[in-house]
Amino acid sequence: NISQTMSYMLPHLKSGWDVDQAILNEEERVVVIRFGHDWDKTCMLMDEILFAIAEDVSKFAVIYLVDNTKIPDFNTMYELYDPCTIMFFYRNKHIMVDLGTGNNNKINFLMNEKQELIDIIECVYRGAKKGRGLVISPKDYSTKYKY
């Protein structure tokens, strides 16, 4: 199964300490963390996209995967209740993204377009480098999901 192999090709952080170190030690690039489960269908699809863009964004971002059942340390702090969540950090700071969805803390829906995710990560990088803790997504996702 190709989508299962995608999650194996991206680095997994194995402990809360590893997550902290990844966020603390990266000085130049955005740290993109996908919280979720390798076996979850949404995560598999997201991991495929993340793997596909990993090289394209490698100059300004590094991508990690975290299984939030094995490492529940951040579930409460970051409100990780969705099957698949992407969060951004820069120089040990959580960078929020206004996607138009009302939740600026994270991306908690499947991104289908590689270029859209690249654009968001690039936007996070540019904003974070200027000291911004909140950046506006290049695209508004408010109409993407009707509840």
Side-chain angles (χ1 to χ4, degrees), residues 11-74:
H12 283 72
L13 300 173
K14 303 287 188 203
S15 69
W17 189 84
D18 288 343
V19 175
D20 286 338
Q21 291 308 302
I23 292 168
L24 278 167
N25 293 332
E26 181 56 60
E27 292 287 318
E28 298 303 318
R29 299 178 294 175
V30 171
V31 176
V32 180
I33 300 182
R34 189 276 286 149
F35 292 96
H37 304 100
D38 295 345
W39 47 262
D40 179 83
K41 196 147 199 69
T42 306
C43 281
M44 283 184 196
L45 294 167
M46 189 63 106
D47 291 351
E48 261 184 77
I49 303 271
L50 289 167
F51 176 73
I53 68 166
E55 201 174 317
D56 296 334
V57 301
S58 63
K59 289 199 179 5
F60 55 90
V62 58
I63 300 167
Y64 295 106
L65 308 181
V66 172
D67 182 319
N68 56 342
T69 302
K70 290 181 187 153
I71 309 172
D73 313 39
F74 306 96

Side-chain angles (χ1 to χ4, degrees), residues 13-142:
L13 300 173
K14 303 287 188 203
S15 69
W17 189 84
D18 288 343
V19 175
D20 286 338
Q21 291 308 302
I23 292 168
L24 278 167
N25 293 332
E26 181 56 60
E27 292 287 318
E28 298 303 318
R29 299 178 294 175
V30 171
V31 176
V32 180
I33 300 182
R34 189 276 286 149
F35 292 96
H37 304 100
D38 295 345
W39 47 262
D40 179 83
K41 196 147 199 69
T42 306
C43 281
M44 283 184 196
L45 294 167
M46 189 63 106
D47 291 351
E48 261 184 77
I49 303 271
L50 289 167
F51 176 73
I53 68 166
E55 201 174 317
D56 296 334
V57 301
S58 63
K59 289 199 179 5
F60 55 90
V62 58
I63 300 167
Y64 295 106
L65 308 181
V66 172
D67 182 319
N68 56 342
T69 302
K70 290 181 187 153
I71 309 172
D73 313 39
F74 306 96
N75 292 355
T76 306
M77 181 173 33
Y78 295 137
E79 300 177 353
L80 302 174
Y81 309 125
D82 302 287
C84 188
T85 303
I86 291 183
M87 295 186 71
F88 306 98
F89 302 87
Y90 185 75
R91 294 191 176 157
N92 195 27
K93 190 175 174 196
H94 172 209
I95 306 300
M96 297 190 288
V97 184
D98 184 347
L99 300 152
T101 59
N103 184 348
N104 296 344
N105 291 321
K106 54 195 172 245
I107 297 176
N108 58 357
F109 54 87
L110 179 64
M111 301 279 309
N112 294 315
E113 294 294 323
K114 289 190 287 192
Q115 192 56 51
E116 284 181 21
L117 191 52
I118 291 170
D119 292 347
I120 289 172
I121 296 169
E122 207 169 337
C123 178
V124 168
Y125 173 70
R126 277 191 261 115
K129 259 182 81 155
K130 293 176 185 158
R132 296 196 185 117
L134 171 68
V135 298
I136 310 295
S137 164
K139 183 177 171 190
D140 186 335
Y141 292 90
S142 59

